[in-house]
Amino acid sequence: MKQTKRRGKKKAKKRARVIPATQGLRKVAEPKDIVLNSQVRDSGGKVIFDDHTLCSQFLRDYVDLPYMKGIRPEDIEDVSEQYVTLFAEERNSDRVKRVHVGGGSAPFFLVSLIEHKTAPDYNVCMQVFRYMVYIWETYEKEAESIQKGMAKREDFLYPPILPIIYYEGAKSWNVPRDFRSRIREGSIFEKYLPNFEYYLVPLRDYSNEMLMEKKDEISLVMMINKLQTAEDIVNFRQLPGKEIEEILKDSPEHLVNIIANVLRE
């Protein structure tokens, strides 16, 4: 009889509230065993992705996706420390950004790899893939920390990732951009392999005139990044001073200082 009473008094289990899969996924869970880079290589390209004003201008001007046109500096959050430090010393100029366009709750991720080498690197596609896997794993762990089982639900979707290769080298980038090209017999197994392309921005393909047309600070920085030969310097000095002054006249002081520092390097 006592057992029957106890059963009768037992309260019905409260139904757990289902949290929307897009809600709250902002904080980045830190991967374990991070090894900090001991050396940092300076680069004009790195400056672009370190400064969020320049980064937003770069995405608006040089990435041909309508989605990028409304990006503001305040939409960009740097999360590079959680990912870049997992890899080799030579990758210390890579950057990972978490971007909420217009302050929206569902982000996308930007992975930027800056290639300084004189010749293209055939393995950047695999490096991009490593970042993608780490970013999606971390996003999934964060969802699970908010509510167990969230990542297994139909409404949970992984964030898009835009991989960009910013190439500063003088030689033409003749490397296939698709991931499958790095896999032996990739065309035979194509249905069963992940496949994507990275977005390439080869600095050598932009003339000073093309860059000046944008009339913003990012284009000046990119022109400075192009200075590799005596001829490049001569061409840069021939740019119309009034147009450069027009670009810089309303620039924030920190951007003017960044451009001046890039020129000194």
Side-chain angles (χ1 to χ4, degrees):
M1 285 293 290
K2 284 182 182 178
Q3 284 181 354
T4 310
K5 282 180 183 177
R6 281 176 188 167
R7 281 175 191 164
K9 287 179 182 178
K10 223 174 191 179
K11 290 181 181 178
K13 278 188 178 179
K14 216 174 183 181
R15 193 173 178 180
R17 184 169 71 92
V18 176
I19 301 172
T22 54
Q23 183 182 320
L25 292 175
R26 289 175 175 268
K27 188 182 74 175
V28 179
E30 293 187 14
K32 294 178 181 177
D33 304 322
I34 287 179
V35 179
L36 294 175
N37 292 322
S38 61
Q39 298 172 356
V40 177
R41 180 179 177 178
D42 290 329
S43 161
K46 196 177 74 166
V47 164
I48 291 171
F49 298 102
D50 280 346
D51 184 88
H52 290 172
T53 299
L54 293 175
C55 185
S56 62
Q57 289 179 0
F58 177 86
L59 292 173
R60 291 197 303 264
D61 290 356
Y62 298 100
V63 177
D64 189 20
L65 284 174
Y67 191 70
M68 303 293 155
K69 300 308 175 188
I71 289 179
R72 307 164 301 171
E74 57 267 33
D75 295 333
I76 302 171
E77 174 192 2
D78 188 89
V79 292
S80 304
E81 283 190 9
Q82 273 100 27
Y83 302 100
V84 175
T85 49
L86 293 170
F87 302 111
E89 291 276 345
E90 64 182 30
R91 302 262 37 121
N92 56 33
S93 62
D94 295 351
R95 291 293 177 265
V96 181
K97 306 289 183 180
R98 189 180 183 111
V99 185
H100 294 267
V101 179
S105 61
F108 79 88
F109 284 81
L110 164 70
V111 176
S112 61
L113 275 62
I114 301 165
E115 291 302 318
H116 319 272
K117 303 177 184 75
T118 53
D121 180 351
Y122 277 78
N123 212 34
V124 291
C125 222
M126 187 58 73
Q127 184 61 32
V128 163
F129 183 62
R130 291 188 189 105
Y131 279 123
M132 287 178 156
V133 171
Y134 272 109
I135 288 167
W136 284 324
E137 279 186 349
T138 303
Y139 195 82
E140 180 186 311
K141 285 176 186 175
E142 185 189 339
E144 289 296 307
S145 72
I146 292 170
Q147 187 168 62
K148 194 172 181 182
M150 182 185 282
K152 296 177 182 178
R153 296 193 334 233
E154 185 180 1
D155 67 329
F156 177 82
L157 297 173
Y158 292 87
I161 299 172
L162 174 64
I164 292 179
I165 307 300
Y166 180 78
Y167 178 52
E168 297 177 330
K171 290 186 179 178
S172 178
W173 186 277
N174 51 8
V175 178
R177 299 184 203 177
D178 63 304
F179 180 76
R180 194 176 61 226
S181 67
R182 294 298 293 162
I183 307 297
R184 183 166 40 83
E185 307 293 359
S187 57
I188 295 173
F189 291 90
E190 62 180 319
K191 283 175 64 176
Y192 314 104
L193 295 172
N195 198 29
F196 63 90
E197 289 188 12
Y198 52 80
Y199 196 97
L200 178 68
V201 179
L203 193 54
R204 69 185 294 278
D205 288 0
Y206 292 91
S207 67
N208 286 346
E209 291 71 29
M210 290 167 67
L211 294 169
M212 283 294 285
E213 283 175 8
K214 302 294 183 183
K215 300 184 187 304
D216 54 15
E217 295 89 349
I218 180 63
S219 301
L220 276 180
V221 172
M222 289 171 70
M223 277 189 277
I224 295 165
N225 285 354
K226 285 180 64 186
L227 302 177
Q228 296 186 21
T229 66
E231 185 183 357
D232 293 335
I233 295 169
V234 169
N235 290 336
F236 182 78
R237 285 176 176 164
Q238 290 173 350
L239 292 171
K242 284 186 180 179
E243 289 187 32
I244 293 175
E245 285 176 19
E246 191 66 25
I247 292 170
L248 294 175
K249 73 174 184 181
D250 296 320
S251 298
E253 187 180 350
H254 82 279
L255 278 186
V256 176
N257 290 336
I258 284 171
I259 292 167
N261 287 335
V262 173
L263 269 173
R264 288 190 200 106
E265 287 175 1

